[in-house]
Amino acid sequence: MSMRSQQASASRSLECFFPDTLEMFGERSAFITADGATVSYTDLARQADLFAARLGSERRLVLIETANEVASLAAYLGALRARHPVILAAAGALAQDSRTVDVYRPDWIYRCKGSAWHLEAGDGTGHNFHPALALLLSSSGSTGTPKLVRLSRQNINANARAIGEYLELSVDDRPITALPWHYCYGLSVMHSHLARGATILLTSRSVVEPDFWDFFEEHHGTSVAGVAHTFELLERTAFLGRRLEHLRYFTVAGGRLAPDKVQAYARWTRDRGARFFVMYGQTEATSRMAYLPPDLVDRHPDCIGLPIPEGQFRIMAPDGSEIVENGRAGDLVYAGPNVMMGYAQSPDDLTRGPDLLELKTNDIAERNEAGLYRIVGRSSRFSKLFGLRLNLDEIEAFLGQKGYAAAVAGNDRHLAIVLSGDASAGAVQNLVVDRYRLTRQVVAVVPVPEIPRLSSGKVDYPAIVQLAEASLISSFQPAEAEAQPTPAGSQESLAAAFASVFMCSSVDAGQSFVSLGGDSLSYVQISLLIEDHLGFLPEAWERLTVGELQDMVQSRAADRAECPERGRATLLDTDILLRAFAICGVVIVHAGDVFGLYGGSDLLFLLAGYNFARFQSKVLFEGRVLKALKPYTINILLPLLAIIVAHDAIKGGFDIRRYLLIGNFFNLSIQYFYFIEVLFQCLVVLTILMAIRPVRECAKEQPWRTGVALFMAAVAVHFIGLRVSDLAPLDYRVPQFYLYLVIYGWCLHFAKSAGQKNVALMLALMVFPTTFNAPSETFWLVVGSMLLLFVPKVSISGTARRIVASISGASFYIYIVHGLPLALLRMVNPGLNPTVRIYLSLLLAVLIGTALAAGISLVVRLPAILRNGVDSYWNLLPLSVEQGSVISITERRSPEISAKSYRTGLSSASEISI
């Protein structure tokens, strides 16, 4: 089909009910799924009609649980095409709350059980419907009340047409499913784009997952719709560094986004040649009522903008007269073809026609001199959180039914509950969070002797909000502790998991991995714990507070309820995988002198620089250079010195040069421990360079360019050193031979843009083949660099992920003990097959090194364990027969060692690569 004919089809589809016109777009893709499969409009129409045929010819009430999958979308469109009224519900909603089914008794229920979709006959015996009725939605997707919004085909079509007009949608658009589509905002994205013949990217992943954006970029996504909370989450990740070459626009609705955030995202999108739309709507208006043109965002970021095409606003005074002057606030009333038919509270209401011509929004608004509308308050007791419109009276009544004496207030930031009597605040918080699908961070429950009241005897709701906000500011409410115990691994245990890893009694919601003094050792274990809770690892998670991560856990739980996952693999940082392979390569080479695997230790030097930059750059840029070496000193050098003492005591002899960590310059290093000495010396050189103010200031302003300059200088030092001195007697075990690798790792971390990454790869291809004789060494370094640059995370199954993380986390201990198994095997069986000896040595080195890591961790944390109980330690070692996995046992520092430090580097004992 030609572009002109596709545009013509889009125009015709807007004149008719758009689900009836899917075939007009022919073989053009309607959906692209997360696994890359495409579904054409022709095939979508065929699947829709096949589903409709299963419902019969007589109009029936169909309840569909939604998911970002073709099956449920085809079912929805098929029911609409066949004129069956549809109730939309979140995935799994019926299992949690059956009131909608109990009240409306649908004839058919379509939902997913396990991995398959099932059409089930309901208890209904047939219903009578108004001819125009098409869709029934819970008001703003909110509270699960059986009160539903009745929408007609005209409502749906008119809103899709209006949205397409002001967003200038076409067949070339490719939105991604960032919102659940049982929610009117997410549904409007589906409607408006399908009506224009666009291609929708279907995924159940969260916007904080890197894979979400990889999928978006791979398939040339053009738009993303989000609520205010979406953009707050994105701001905490590495998302803002993405270019998104094909992006056309972002939209925000479902609650107020702060004006400064609106302006910031408007600038961000404008820098990428895209636009940022602020929108306003309600389910009662089939989603959208107003939009703020992107060219007005900078000057009026606090406005909702103009009415959508074919819509109009009026501002009404308390006496019922219309306010025509600008700047005067009143009740906002909307009129347009997208205004709902009315509400339904029982099946009898499904026969009624339109009950109203205009919609009272329950918002207080004013119009400014530019003719733009601005919301200044609410005229009724509603809060809007995460795009959910919450009826505060209903929540209060719900708690009353449960036997609690409570009063509920709120705003668009928090839900505020005061509780009198002896009831548990934690239990009430759990109840509200679970029922209304909120996060704990926005639900404040404050016990009070008496509910605050005005002199009139009415509840003082403003005072309740003040009490709740004071409570939220003062501390993170550990409601979990008051509630009933939750299963291990549940979302409530994330804060407890942090506390266990850092061996402290509690963790404040405002603390992060960085502020708790996390290092590269605890990085491995904490990252596994977060993945256990979230199902993925957010970008830049180490900078997120525990409260923000807990927030994500709650949000992700709701996402999973919307779109249940089907046995997906998880992601692992590539440097963790490379470290595991590198240490195994080192052990194999030393066990059998396998020339073809030389290079593992070289890659460890590179990874050391990469993670030194990753974890310590901020400390260095702040001028606290000695602090940057502290983790390495504590976690690696102290154990090394203990080994040197034991070595000298057993074999006799004492040489101060070994204790000064310069034994490598005099061939005094113990076996393979020269690596640790040289690595420390390289890091000292890099730290000294950062101690020089001009260098530090330059690195702070331009870390990538400074890194490249230092790399070229270090390469020059490498070659000059080979010419002016004979390093062969020292077996080249000196810092000038390896410094450039450490600095190159620094460059890799700061290579953010595509151009910088390409330059970094070019440098590797130019330099490494000239500095090593063994091709395998160049291979390790080039392939490792490519993976760090272009594949920052790898998909790996849960069991394999834990095994790899265990090896990586214990890599330092594997390194220091890997000579022991080899010596024992040669002593016990000198004639052992070389191949068998190599693999036995590797297996034993991994087992002994991992056990040693666990033992040292136990000894170091014994005081904290005695304070907090033995369970606080054993909880970190979930060797689970059911899961079939072994969690990483890594060395971690007590939070007292570097509290509130910037991600104290990977210089930790269990990670050779720092």
Side-chain angles (χ1 to χ4, degrees):
M1 183 181 291
S2 69
M3 181 64 68
R4 181 173 297 177
S5 62
Q6 288 173 351
Q7 298 289 3
S9 297
S11 298
R12 288 196 300 275
S13 73
L14 296 175
E15 298 169 2
C16 308
F17 186 41
F18 83 85
D20 297 343
T21 63
L22 298 175
E23 297 92 340
M24 289 186 178
F25 300 104
E27 294 306 311
R28 185 168 185 83
S29 296
F31 300 119
I32 298 178
T33 63
D35 59 4
T38 61
V39 178
S40 70
Y41 274 88
T42 297
D43 189 45
L44 177 60
R46 181 186 61 81
Q47 292 187 45
D49 290 340
L50 286 174
F51 178 83
R54 299 169 64 186
L55 304 177
S57 57
E58 186 176 349
R59 293 184 79 192
R60 297 293 186 185
L61 183 60
V62 184
L63 189 150
I64 298 175
E65 288 194 349
T66 64
N68 289 339
E69 298 181 15
V70 175
S72 61
L73 283 159
Y76 169 64
L77 293 168
L80 292 183
R81 283 162 68 94
R83 303 301 186 263
H84 298 289
V86 177
I87 301 175
L88 290 182
L94 302 188
Q96 297 180 11
D97 190 344
S98 64
R99 289 181 299 162
T100 299
V101 172
D102 296 340
V103 171
Y104 293 95
R105 303 175 65 83
D107 301 292
W108 294 102
I109 298 174
Y110 191 58
R111 56 180 163 178
C112 186
K113 292 185 175 180
S115 59
W117 287 87
H118 299 273
L119 180 63
E120 306 166 357
D123 295 333
T125 56
H127 298 78
N128 294 317
F129 307 105
H130 188 276
L133 182 64
L135 181 61
L136 296 155
L137 295 177
S138 179
S139 176
S140 292
S142 57
T143 61
T145 172
K147 182 179 179 180
L148 302 178
V149 171
R150 294 182 290 123
L151 299 174
S152 67
R153 290 187 296 280
Q154 180 194 19
N155 294 153
I156 294 171
N157 236 38
N159 208 236
R161 180 172 61 245
I163 294 170
E165 182 177 334
Y166 71 76
L167 291 181
E168 300 176 356
L169 302 184
S170 73
V171 292
D172 296 322
D173 278 290
R174 290 193 166 197
I176 191 169
T177 51
L179 298 167
W181 58 275
H182 75 276
Y183 167 44
C184 69
Y185 183 14
L187 185 61
S188 73
V189 175
M190 297 289 186
H191 286 169
S192 57
H193 286 85
L194 290 173
R196 298 275 176 157
T199 301
I200 298 174
L201 307 182
L202 284 181
T203 178
S204 61
R205 294 188 184 274
S206 165
V207 294
V208 295
E209 295 185 61
D211 275 6
F212 177 95
W213 297 106
D214 292 343
F215 176 58
F216 183 81
E217 291 183 287
E218 178 184 356
H219 295 286
H220 298 173
T222 60
S223 63
V224 182
V227 296
H229 186 59
T230 304
F231 294 94
E232 292 168 0
L233 289 177
L234 289 178
E235 198 172 61
R236 301 165 187 164
T237 70
F239 160 78
L240 294 177
R242 293 181 179 263
R243 291 303 305 172
L244 305 182
E245 300 293 341
H246 300 276
L247 181 69
R248 283 191 59 236
Y249 65 86
F250 266 112
T251 64
V252 61
R256 182 177 182 269
L257 182 63
D260 61 322
K261 305 289 187 190
V262 170
Q263 291 173 318
Y265 275 103
R267 288 192 297 271
W268 186 88
T269 51
R270 191 162 51 242
D271 289 345
R272 287 155 176 75
R275 299 181 294 171
F276 190 75
F277 286 87
V278 175
M279 306 192 302
Y280 166 76
Q282 293 178 4
T283 306
E284 289 82 351
T286 326
S287 184
R288 303 277 67 79
M289 289 185 282
Y291 73 102
L292 180 62
D295 58 335
L296 299 177
V297 167
D298 285 333
R299 285 171 288 165
H300 307 281
D302 59 344
C303 290
I304 62 170
L306 303 169
I308 64 173
E310 301 185 61
Q312 60 179 352
F313 283 132
R314 292 193 300 151
I315 297 178
M316 307 302 293
D319 61 4
S321 62
E322 183 176 355
I323 298 174
V324 295
E325 61 268 30
N326 295 327
R328 183 180 167 194
D331 292 319
L332 185 65
V333 177
Y334 174 81
N338 53 314
V339 172
M340 67 175 178
M341 299 174 70
Y343 291 109
Q345 293 182 290
S346 71
D348 294 340
D349 294 330
L350 306 184
T351 63
R352 289 163 45 198
D355 292 334
L356 62 164
L357 298 176
E358 59 183 17
L359 176 66
K360 295 181 179 180
T361 65
N362 288 321
D363 285 323
I364 304 296
E366 64 181 19
R367 184 176 50 250
N368 65 17
E369 295 296 332
L372 303 176
Y373 291 83
R374 183 171 71 93
I375 304 297
V376 298
R378 295 195 183 279
S379 59
S380 61
R381 292 202 354 100
F382 285 90
S383 283
K384 205 161 193 178
L385 299 169
F386 310 129
L388 305 180
R389 192 161 175 251
L390 301 166
N391 187 323
L392 303 179
D393 290 325
E394 182 194 323
I395 298 173
E396 198 170 285
F398 166 69
L399 292 175
Q401 292 170 1
K402 295 295 182 180
Y404 295 109
V408 181
N411 48 36
D412 286 354
R413 298 184 305 275
H414 304 109
L415 193 64
I417 303 172
V418 293
L419 186 66
S420 67
D422 299 327
S424 164
V428 170
Q429 188 185 50
N430 284 340
L431 196 63
V432 173
V433 164
D434 293 342
R435 180 178 179 82
Y436 298 102
R437 297 193 176 193
L438 300 172
T439 68
R440 297 187 183 282
Q441 278 61 51
V442 299
V443 179
V445 182
V446 182
V448 292
E450 293 183 0
I451 293 176
R453 296 186 181 274
L454 301 169
S455 58
S456 63
K458 294 181 179 179
V459 175
D460 188 352
Y461 289 111
I464 292 174
V465 171
Q466 291 176 1
L467 283 171
E469 290 189 340
S471 173
L472 287 168
I473 291 171
S474 63
S475 65
F476 170 56
Q477 293 184 346
E480 303 91 329
E482 301 179 34
Q484 293 181 353
T486 55
S490 68
Q491 60 200 36
E492 287 80 13
S493 64
L494 184 57
F498 265 77
S500 296
V501 168
F502 288 101
M503 287 301 167
C504 49
S505 59
S506 63
V507 173
D508 187 84
Q511 292 180 290
S512 67
F513 177 83
V514 171
S515 68
L516 285 167
D519 56 21
S520 59
L521 298 173
S522 49
Y523 181 90
V524 176
Q525 184 158 359
I526 287 287
S527 65
L528 290 173
L529 289 168
I530 292 173
E531 284 195 58
D532 286 341
H533 286 76
L534 274 172
F536 67 96
L537 196 62
E539 292 187 70
W541 64 264
E542 64 279 357
R543 294 181 178 86
L544 302 179
T545 66
V546 174
E548 290 166 346
L549 288 168
Q550 193 113 336
D551 198 358
M552 286 186 183
V553 170
Q554 296 281 358
S555 298
R556 187 57 179 154
D559 289 345
R560 285 172 173 160
E562 310 295 349
C563 307
E565 298 173 357
R566 317 269 194 263
R568 49 174 284 204
T570 54
L571 296 175
L572 184 73
D573 282 359
T574 298
D575 69 294
I576 294 176
L577 180 68
L578 290 174
R579 188 183 308 120
F581 275 111
I583 190 60
C584 289
V586 169
V587 175
I588 290 172
V589 166
H590 290 168
D593 199 24
V594 183
F595 183 79
L597 286 181
Y598 277 16
S601 60
D602 301 318
L603 180 58
L604 289 175
F605 275 111
L606 186 151
L607 289 171
Y610 177 83
N611 284 301
F612 195 65
R614 184 182 184 190
F615 293 109
Q616 299 299 331
S617 57
K618 184 178 180 182
V619 175
L620 290 171
F621 294 159
E622 291 173 351
R624 297 182 292 162
V625 291
L626 292 179
K627 192 175 183 66
L629 291 174
K630 190 174 181 180
Y632 190 90
T633 302
I634 293 173
N635 295 318
I636 293 182
L637 297 187
L638 291 182
L640 176 61
L641 291 174
I643 293 172
I644 294 174
V645 170
H647 172 272
D648 289 352
I650 294 172
K651 291 198 169 185
F654 172 84
D655 196 306
I656 189 62
R657 290 171 292 185
R658 273 202 294 263
Y659 292 88
L660 293 177
L661 302 175
I662 56 174
N664 57 303
F665 287 103
F666 305 96
N667 277 329
L668 294 173
S669 301
I670 300 174
Q671 202 174 21
Y672 307 118
F673 294 168
Y674 77 91
F675 173 90
I676 302 171
E677 296 170 336
V678 173
L679 179 54
F680 177 66
Q681 292 156 11
C682 289
L683 293 178
V684 168
V685 171
L686 185 54
T687 301
I688 291 173
L689 288 171
M690 291 299 155
I692 303 171
R693 181 180 292 273
V695 176
R696 183 172 69 249
E697 293 299 324
C698 186
K700 184 177 181 180
E701 293 298 323
Q702 296 183 323
W704 156 252
R705 291 186 178 182
T706 305
V708 171
L710 292 176
F711 171 69
M712 299 307 295
V715 171
V717 169
H718 172 88
F719 285 111
I720 292 172
L722 291 175
R723 286 184 176 273
V724 302
S725 60
D726 184 8
L727 301 178
L730 299 177
D731 202 15
Y732 303 98
R733 296 172 175 178
V734 288
Q736 58 263 41
F737 196 78
Y738 292 101
L739 178 62
Y740 74 100
L741 291 177
V742 175
I743 296 179
Y744 181 73
W746 172 287
C747 294
L748 291 183
H749 172 69
F750 287 110
K752 302 301 183 183
S753 69
Q756 290 170 345
K757 292 180 180 181
N758 290 331
V759 170
L761 181 58
M762 182 182 67
L763 290 174
L765 294 172
M766 291 173 57
V767 173
F768 295 151
T770 67
T771 55
F772 292 102
N773 294 323
S776 63
E777 292 181 284
T778 300
F779 176 82
W780 276 97
L781 292 169
V782 171
V783 172
S785 300
M786 291 176 64
L787 291 173
L788 288 172
L789 287 167
F790 302 108
V791 189
K793 294 182 185 295
V794 292
S795 179
I796 187 169
S797 69
T799 301
R801 174 178 64 103
R802 292 181 180 276
I803 293 173
V804 169
S806 295
I807 296 173
S808 179
S811 55
F812 169 74
Y813 298 103
I814 293 171
Y815 189 87
I816 63 175
V817 304
H818 78 277
L820 178 62
L822 179 60
L824 291 175
L825 289 172
R826 284 174 174 167
M827 182 187 305
V828 173
N829 190 347
L832 187 65
N833 181 280
T835 302
V836 175
R837 183 180 68 242
I838 288 172
Y839 288 108
L840 274 178
S841 295
L842 176 61
L843 177 62
L844 290 172
V846 168
L847 293 176
I848 296 171
T850 303
L852 179 60
I856 292 178
S857 176
L858 176 59
V859 171
V860 170
R861 279 156 185 79
L862 189 57
I865 294 169
L866 295 175
R867 287 196 309 268
N868 298 299
V870 176
D871 288 343
S872 65
Y873 178 77
W874 294 113
N875 286 341
L876 301 182
L877 309 176
L879 181 59
S880 170
V881 175
E882 294 179 7
Q883 296 177 355
S885 59
V886 182
I887 195 166
S888 167
I889 305 174
T890 62
E891 169 64 7
R892 291 174 299 278
R893 293 182 298 114
S894 170
E896 292 83 10
I897 291 176
S898 64
K900 298 185 179 178
S901 67
Y902 179 81
R903 218 208 277 198
T904 51
L906 170 57
S907 52
S908 77
S910 80
E911 298 171 350
I912 288 286
S913 66
I914 301 193

